[in-house]
Amino acid sequence: MAYDLTFAKDVYKKSEMGHWIKMCMQCGVCAGSCPLRAHWQHSPRQLFQMVRAGKRDEVLKSSDMWMCTSCYNCIVRCPRNLPITHIIHGLARYAETEKMTDPMQPTRRFAVEVFWKNITATGRVGEAMLTMRLYFQDGIGSGIQKALEMKDSALGMLKTRRLNPIPFRGKIKGYDGFAKMLAKAAELESKLENKE
Amino acid sequence: MEKKIGCYICTGCGLGEALDLKALKAIATKEQKIPVVKDHALLCGAEGVGLIQKDLTDGVVNSVIIAACSHREKSAEFRFDIDLLERVDLRDKCLWLLDVKEGDETAEEDRQMMAEDYLRLGCVKMKKMNVPDPFLHSDGSKDVLVVGGGLAGLTAARDVAKAGYNAVLVEKSALLGGKLNDMLKVTPDNKPPYRDVAENFIGALVSEVEGDNRIKIFKNSVVTKTVGQPGQFDITIKNDTVSKELRVGSIVVTTGFTLYDPTKLPGSLGYGSSPDVVTSAEFERMAKAGQIVRKSDGQPAKRVAFALCAGQRDPAHLDYCSGACCIYSMKQAMYVIDQYGQDASTYLIYQEIRTPGQMEDFYRAAQDKGAVFIKGDVTQVGSNNKGGVAVKVNDHLIRNQETLDVDLLVLATGMISTVDTQDPNVPSPVGSARDELPGSVLNLQYRQGPSLPQLGTSAFPDSHFICFPYETRRTGIYVAGPARRPMGIAATMTDASGAALKAIQAVEAVARGVAVHPRSGDLSFPSYRPEGCTQCKRCTEECPFGAINEDDKGNPLFNPARCRRCSTCMGACPQKIISFANYSVDMISAMLKEVEIPEEDEEKPRILVFACTNDAVPALDMMGRLRSPISPYIRIIPLRCMGSLSLVWIADAMSKGFDGVLLMGCRHGDDYQCHNVRGSALAEIRLSKVSETLQRLKLESNRVKMVEVNIMDADTLPGVISDFVEQIGNLNPNPYKGF
Amino acid sequence: MKEYTFFPGCSSEHNASAANMENSVQAMCRLLGIKLNEIDDWNCCSASIGYAGGGQLPRMALSARNFALAQKQKGNADLVATCAACWLAMRETNERIETDDDIKKNINTALAEAGLSYDGHIKTRHMVEVLIEDFGWDALKAKVTKPLKGLKVAGYVGCQTNRPFGVCGDSYENPTYLDQMIEATGATAVPFPMKVACCGGALMFSEPDKSCVLTKQILQSAVDNGADVIVTPCPVCQLNLEVYQGKINTTLNTNFNIPILYYSQLFVLSWGGSWQDAALHQQVIPAEPLRRFA
Ligand code: SF4
Ligand code: SF4
Ligand code: SF4
Ligand code: SF4
Ligand code: SF4
């Protein structure tokens, strides 16, 4: 049913900063401020209205939230002080936990499968490994091609000592505690995400 | 009183260095025969002012000419307890407007000529002015009539009484309180933190008013007749059986609003198609009765949609914003949320949300409480299979037609003022003024009709966009609250208080015999010489404020207390028989004739500028401040209002030898800025006949031009002036020079 | 000598992409009399895309652990970050911990697993704030021995050093502090309308085609305004603008070859530091226009 509030109420409760969505006054400033506006199918304000209209599938399957570069343009301009960037991130995360995102969405793949895994594996970003995983996530062939495209840059980085030739890095000293902390945080987070 | 004139010339602000003081003094003494002529190096300082004051105290002079800066400067310093004071502006509109290079003798000479002319103008004006006698009457009343006993009327009456005056409150129905009597709760317009609906306070206000012995209340009554003028309004109040006459000093109209007829709304909004489509007023009564239910089957109405702008802002219905409906719809959504809690779903379908002032917080609160705002429009209303209303919404954000199933659809219809208005440009002909027009609130017995003129193309009885809130175009009559224009609770209350104060100001001014506004304090008023009158009715028709009635023969009957001293009648009269003690056709003619016109072969043209004192003169002063130079051939004469423009002046200027005349009046038309509403518009109409005058004199018609000048125009005005100067420069000199 | 707790962040590690920033910042601090006390065993802040894999609590736990370590090791001394994303993530986490009791409680439950706790009170500051607020323009100018006269610089502030927190109350739409820094070294700040435009950030990794268009517009604006070099405080901006120039040239048919530097590099050079001190040897696009000042 159109404008059924079940989904909206879920988002208000479970998605990070989601409760702010009801405060949007549809002025349109966010839509006009986003550097990726040409690519969004639905601008932030439209996504917000879709939440209010109960369009669960359209919102959670959307690729739009994943395009956010965290430029914070919208957030500083919103006359209603909505933390738009965080709401957008929250919706992306919510879609992820609801398993609604297209698994091949490129930013989702990078953020969830490459980046987060990379930092939680050792405690710090291993840039070389990060890049390799990124390039090779679609198999060796396309990986080599992508890597070749950036070959000159990579060589430049190596030469100027801004890329570690050894892609493996050690873990931080307190890694055990670090890992337990993250596990706990994730556990609490899932309670948060499923709270009624 | 015998006039003893003193002329005081200031040599400060660089005037002493730039001008030939001796020559100026000679003009005043020898040419203009002013008995006392003095100068001072800082006239506005204590010593300079003391110099003038001493002559006044000693009785040497009783009328003062100050030749220094603009009359808009140093007015506090040059405030003397005298009747006649004239300011000659040598600084702002002469010294500061002329670009004179060091040692440029021609330019210096031109500047001196300008200063001398201005001094002459001031002296002639002073000689022509008489001391006005105030218009006084002994049988006046200071009571204030308030018509309409709703929120605005109660507030106005209470405030009048609180200020120590008597109020007469007339209410058509049997109950005071008006529309608020029907309301469950009210919006928190005056209640910080402006987030929750507030208790209805009208009962308390009604008791306060009913318990106040300064307020006389007439219920079940209407005003059937209003005769007279401020201070002496004779009112007939009638209830079912008896008529009663009483005298009041001024009037506040607070008859409030009616709502737009929902049956006239487009069918797509569904009114009448189901009992579950109701107006906001109907919903309010349902809520008050504790019945937030579907009218069709009595089921609880937990899902309620509100269609905002139901007819408002739509040229086919009400072309204006009703101002309060966004806010009261939020209030009504809160009723539903407060009653049904988690089960409630409320939707506000809107074009734009308008929540001025603190009501933005109320908007936030409504959002926070869960009301859903949909930017879009209702395109169709039908019924659904659950016995509810199916509202088709075109959601502008989702860009889709959605169907919203609700229990009730509430249409927020707009307010319409209950005050009868008339087209101000079409005065009703004498005799047809109906004495008992059922729709007329005051039934004014005015030559210009029983109703209040409307503002521009709106239907509201306002009189000015910018300068005069509450004021109608009938002096001493003020309209407040939704009767003036649509507004919410807080605005209505401030409006009513403001109007009450204005009404008091009016009775006090009239009691002292001075103008109320905009020339507050002016003692002069128009009078005419009956022998010369041809009963042409121009004055009674053109007076923008309906101040002049007519006797049976068509002679004008001036009501000085209604008059705003705009002098439009003076300019209108073809016989030139209307004048003020200190302002007349003859005076301006005499002034312009005093300007020295150089011989034709000197190639020094003269251009006369008539400038309205309300806007054009300040703009010229501003130009002076900015030192933006103008031609030294200009001579400026300020006019009270362009409305006083007499074509005689144009003829006189031409025969005197002026090469051109430029008139600077306020903007006219629907968004006029004329302080006297019609002054500049009427001047323009008169001017359309000027070509006859010019033809008679065998002169080119483009020697005379009227321009609209706004007080903010200091940056564009120099261009306007130089264009005209250039245009005149392209013509031959006026052949009448030297005749 | 002023001391601060220091959080370098992953890109500032040895052999990492912002090693040139790190090295020049260290040289700048030596010249200015700043001692940076690095947090021992710090971890990644998760930058701006940690939300997707981590959600709010795990994401914030990362920064919270750094705060907890800092507090334990160095007390409540101001924590300085040089990377825009680190500064933002740390500052945001601290704000949320200090203002939201639920977050504080949950975060501390997680921290307890690592034997740590944190309840706020460490102020996170960006290095440029330290320069402006704790030293001031006069002090920065006084250090100049080799003014970079004639060098035309486009000051590229980017996003996250600017929004949402802003530097020293400067405007979001037209911040001027970076231009002032450039001028403080004796160089000329050219007008640069794209100074706060987005470079694409981390989207460069996942959707480079979209990001490259943004980056191209920034480079183009700098070139159009006559800049010899672009200067930025942000390592993500630096990386995107410098390393992707080649890719932009091939895919978008341009011909850019403009060095992308850090403000710290300009300071070090103008204060008499060597080419090496300023880490100018670590530029992928060589900083030729600066050669004459070395
Ligand atoms: S800027 Fe804020 S209020 Fe305006 S449309 Fe976007 S989220 Fe809504
Ligand atoms: S923060 Fe994200 S959504 Fe907001 S303007 Fe930037 S890219 Fe767009
Ligand atoms: S107040 Fe709101 S609902 Fe009423 S007319 Fe204005 S915009 Fe429409
Ligand atoms: S001065 Fe103006 S208001 Fe007064 S009677 Fe004449 S036209 Fe009317
Ligand atoms: S305009 Fe003059 S002549 Fe005409 S009616 Fe009035 S007073 Fe008489």
Side-chain angles (χ1 to χ4, degrees), chain B residues 371-388:
Chain B
V372 175
F373 287 74
I374 302 171
K375 189 172 169 61
D377 15 58
V378 172
T379 54
Q380 200 189 322
V381 174
S383 50
N384 61 23
N385 52 14
K386 287 166 256 148

PDB file of all heavy atoms in Angstrom, chain B residues 371-388:
ATOM      1  N   ALA B 371       3.878  13.069  11.128  1.00  0.00           N
ATOM      2  CA  ALA B 371       3.052  13.453   9.993  1.00  0.00           C
ATOM      3  C   ALA B 371       3.915  13.364   8.732  1.00  0.00           C
ATOM      4  O   ALA B 371       5.054  13.797   8.736  1.00  0.00           O
ATOM      5  CB  ALA B 371       2.523  14.873  10.165  1.00  0.00           C
ATOM      6  N   VAL B 372       3.342  12.780   7.682  1.00  0.00           N
ATOM      7  CA  VAL B 372       4.111  12.600   6.450  1.00  0.00           C
ATOM      8  C   VAL B 372       3.749  13.716   5.481  1.00  0.00           C
ATOM      9  O   VAL B 372       2.575  13.973   5.234  1.00  0.00           O
ATOM     10  CB  VAL B 372       3.807  11.225   5.823  1.00  0.00           C
ATOM     11  CG1 VAL B 372       4.505  11.082   4.485  1.00  0.00           C
ATOM     12  CG2 VAL B 372       4.232  10.115   6.771  1.00  0.00           C
ATOM     13  N   PHE B 373       4.771  14.374   4.974  1.00  0.00           N
ATOM     14  CA  PHE B 373       4.543  15.491   4.061  1.00  0.00           C
ATOM     15  C   PHE B 373       4.805  15.040   2.637  1.00  0.00           C
ATOM     16  O   PHE B 373       5.858  14.489   2.343  1.00  0.00           O
ATOM     17  CB  PHE B 373       5.432  16.677   4.447  1.00  0.00           C
ATOM     18  CG  PHE B 373       4.954  17.359   5.698  1.00  0.00           C
ATOM     19  CD1 PHE B 373       5.138  16.766   6.946  1.00  0.00           C
ATOM     20  CD2 PHE B 373       4.278  18.561   5.633  1.00  0.00           C
ATOM     21  CE1 PHE B 373       4.666  17.371   8.098  1.00  0.00           C
ATOM     22  CE2 PHE B 373       3.803  19.171   6.777  1.00  0.00           C
ATOM     23  CZ  PHE B 373       4.000  18.584   8.016  1.00  0.00           C
ATOM     24  N   ILE B 374       3.832  15.255   1.793  1.00  0.00           N
ATOM     25  CA  ILE B 374       3.947  14.838   0.396  1.00  0.00           C
ATOM     26  C   ILE B 374       3.829  16.064  -0.486  1.00  0.00           C
ATOM     27  O   ILE B 374       2.795  16.733  -0.500  1.00  0.00           O
ATOM     28  CB  ILE B 374       2.830  13.834   0.032  1.00  0.00           C
ATOM     29  CG1 ILE B 374       2.885  12.612   0.958  1.00  0.00           C
ATOM     30  CG2 ILE B 374       2.932  13.431  -1.425  1.00  0.00           C
ATOM     31  CD1 ILE B 374       1.689  11.681   0.824  1.00  0.00           C
ATOM     32  N   LYS B 375       4.899  16.356  -1.201  1.00  0.00           N
ATOM     33  CA  LYS B 375       4.837  17.488  -2.125  1.00  0.00           C
ATOM     34  C   LYS B 375       4.185  16.993  -3.405  1.00  0.00           C
ATOM     35  O   LYS B 375       4.754  16.170  -4.120  1.00  0.00           O
ATOM     36  CB  LYS B 375       6.240  18.006  -2.392  1.00  0.00           C
ATOM     37  CG  LYS B 375       6.283  19.305  -3.168  1.00  0.00           C
ATOM     38  CD  LYS B 375       7.714  19.823  -3.196  1.00  0.00           C
ATOM     39  CE  LYS B 375       7.887  20.961  -4.178  1.00  0.00           C
ATOM     40  NZ  LYS B 375       7.073  22.128  -3.876  1.00  0.00           N
ATOM     41  N   GLY B 376       2.999  17.471  -3.657  1.00  0.00           N
ATOM     42  CA  GLY B 376       2.301  16.966  -4.826  1.00  0.00           C
ATOM     43  C   GLY B 376       0.881  17.490  -4.864  1.00  0.00           C
ATOM     44  O   GLY B 376       0.528  18.401  -4.120  1.00  0.00           O
ATOM     45  N   ASP B 377       0.086  16.924  -5.771  1.00  0.00           N
ATOM     46  CA  ASP B 377      -1.307  17.345  -5.771  1.00  0.00           C
ATOM     47  C   ASP B 377      -2.262  16.172  -5.846  1.00  0.00           C
ATOM     48  O   ASP B 377      -1.905  15.091  -6.311  1.00  0.00           O
ATOM     49  CB  ASP B 377      -1.627  18.333  -6.899  1.00  0.00           C
ATOM     50  CG  ASP B 377      -0.554  18.376  -7.957  1.00  0.00           C
ATOM     51  OD1 ASP B 377      -0.264  17.290  -8.553  1.00  0.00           O
ATOM     52  OD2 ASP B 377       0.016  19.440  -8.153  1.00  0.00           O
ATOM     53  N   VAL B 378      -3.453  16.441  -5.357  1.00  0.00           N
ATOM     54  CA  VAL B 378      -4.500  15.431  -5.408  1.00  0.00           C
ATOM     55  C   VAL B 378      -5.109  15.497  -6.800  1.00  0.00           C
ATOM     56  O   VAL B 378      -5.537  16.555  -7.242  1.00  0.00           O
ATOM     57  CB  VAL B 378      -5.568  15.725  -4.342  1.00  0.00           C
ATOM     58  CG1 VAL B 378      -6.758  14.794  -4.510  1.00  0.00           C
ATOM     59  CG2 VAL B 378      -4.966  15.592  -2.955  1.00  0.00           C
ATOM     60  N   THR B 379      -5.101  14.372  -7.504  1.00  0.00           N
ATOM     61  CA  THR B 379      -5.612  14.412  -8.872  1.00  0.00           C
ATOM     62  C   THR B 379      -6.986  13.755  -9.005  1.00  0.00           C
ATOM     63  O   THR B 379      -7.695  13.999  -9.968  1.00  0.00           O
ATOM     64  CB  THR B 379      -4.646  13.720  -9.841  1.00  0.00           C
ATOM     65  OG1 THR B 379      -4.395  12.399  -9.347  1.00  0.00           O
ATOM     66  CG2 THR B 379      -3.335  14.468  -9.932  1.00  0.00           C
ATOM     67  N   GLN B 380      -7.320  12.925  -8.045  1.00  0.00           N
ATOM     68  CA  GLN B 380      -8.616  12.254  -8.143  1.00  0.00           C
ATOM     69  C   GLN B 380      -8.977  11.680  -6.786  1.00  0.00           C
ATOM     70  O   GLN B 380      -8.085  11.270  -6.034  1.00  0.00           O
ATOM     71  CB  GLN B 380      -8.531  11.119  -9.169  1.00  0.00           C
ATOM     72  CG  GLN B 380      -9.870  10.689  -9.705  1.00  0.00           C
ATOM     73  CD  GLN B 380      -9.734   9.422 -10.543  1.00  0.00           C
ATOM     74  OE1 GLN B 380      -8.762   9.254 -11.264  1.00  0.00           O
ATOM     75  NE2 GLN B 380     -10.685   8.533 -10.424  1.00  0.00           N
ATOM     76  N   VAL B 381     -10.269  11.666  -6.484  1.00  0.00           N
ATOM     77  CA  VAL B 381     -10.699  11.086  -5.210  1.00  0.00           C
ATOM     78  C   VAL B 381     -11.801  10.077  -5.494  1.00  0.00           C
ATOM     79  O   VAL B 381     -12.767  10.383  -6.201  1.00  0.00           O
ATOM     80  CB  VAL B 381     -11.210  12.190  -4.254  1.00  0.00           C
ATOM     81  CG1 VAL B 381     -11.797  11.572  -2.994  1.00  0.00           C
ATOM     82  CG2 VAL B 381     -10.088  13.151  -3.896  1.00  0.00           C
ATOM     83  N   GLY B 382     -11.627   8.879  -4.978  1.00  0.00           N
ATOM     84  CA  GLY B 382     -12.661   7.869  -5.169  1.00  0.00           C
ATOM     85  C   GLY B 382     -12.826   7.092  -3.880  1.00  0.00           C
ATOM     86  O   GLY B 382     -12.365   7.532  -2.818  1.00  0.00           O
ATOM     87  N   SER B 383     -13.460   5.930  -3.968  1.00  0.00           N
ATOM     88  CA  SER B 383     -13.579   5.152  -2.737  1.00  0.00           C
ATOM     89  C   SER B 383     -12.832   3.845  -2.931  1.00  0.00           C
ATOM     90  O   SER B 383     -12.593   3.402  -4.048  1.00  0.00           O
ATOM     91  CB  SER B 383     -15.050   4.887  -2.424  1.00  0.00           C
ATOM     92  OG  SER B 383     -15.686   4.382  -3.575  1.00  0.00           O
ATOM     93  N   ASN B 384     -12.416   3.242  -1.829  1.00  0.00           N
ATOM     94  CA  ASN B 384     -11.731   1.963  -1.936  1.00  0.00           C
ATOM     95  C   ASN B 384     -12.600   0.859  -1.356  1.00  0.00           C
ATOM     96  O   ASN B 384     -13.669   1.119  -0.781  1.00  0.00           O
ATOM     97  CB  ASN B 384     -10.347   2.034  -1.263  1.00  0.00           C
ATOM     98  CG  ASN B 384     -10.459   2.352   0.217  1.00  0.00           C
ATOM     99  OD1 ASN B 384     -11.492   2.104   0.833  1.00  0.00           O
ATOM    100  ND2 ASN B 384      -9.406   2.914   0.778  1.00  0.00           N
ATOM    101  N   ASN B 385     -12.107  -0.371  -1.467  1.00  0.00           N
ATOM    102  CA  ASN B 385     -12.966  -1.478  -1.054  1.00  0.00           C
ATOM    103  C   ASN B 385     -13.034  -1.669   0.464  1.00  0.00           C
ATOM    104  O   ASN B 385     -13.734  -2.518   0.967  1.00  0.00           O
ATOM    105  CB  ASN B 385     -12.520  -2.774  -1.742  1.00  0.00           C
ATOM    106  CG  ASN B 385     -11.026  -3.008  -1.529  1.00  0.00           C
ATOM    107  OD1 ASN B 385     -10.423  -2.359  -0.664  1.00  0.00           O
ATOM    108  ND2 ASN B 385     -10.442  -3.897  -2.299  1.00  0.00           N
ATOM    109  N   LYS B 386     -12.262  -0.814   1.198  1.00  0.00           N
ATOM    110  CA  LYS B 386     -12.351  -0.930   2.658  1.00  0.00           C
ATOM    111  C   LYS B 386     -13.272   0.131   3.249  1.00  0.00           C
ATOM    112  O   LYS B 386     -13.214   0.436   4.429  1.00  0.00           O
ATOM    113  CB  LYS B 386     -10.952  -0.785   3.267  1.00  0.00           C
ATOM    114  CG  LYS B 386     -10.089  -2.019   3.028  1.00  0.00           C
ATOM    115  CD  LYS B 386      -8.636  -1.746   3.333  1.00  0.00           C
ATOM    116  CE  LYS B 386      -7.850  -1.585   2.045  1.00  0.00           C
ATOM    117  NZ  LYS B 386      -6.753  -0.710   2.056  1.00  0.00           N
ATOM    118  N   GLY B 387     -14.068   0.708   2.369  1.00  0.00           N
ATOM    119  CA  GLY B 387     -14.994   1.721   2.860  1.00  0.00           C
ATOM    120  C   GLY B 387     -14.348   3.062   3.098  1.00  0.00           C
ATOM    121  O   GLY B 387     -14.932   3.943   3.704  1.00  0.00           O
ATOM    122  N   GLY B 388     -13.112   3.197   2.655  1.00  0.00           N
ATOM    123  CA  GLY B 388     -12.421   4.463   2.855  1.00  0.00           C
ATOM    124  C   GLY B 388     -12.343   5.277   1.582  1.00  0.00           C
ATOM    125  O   GLY B 388     -12.971   4.949   0.574  1.00  0.00           O
TER     126      GLY B 388
END
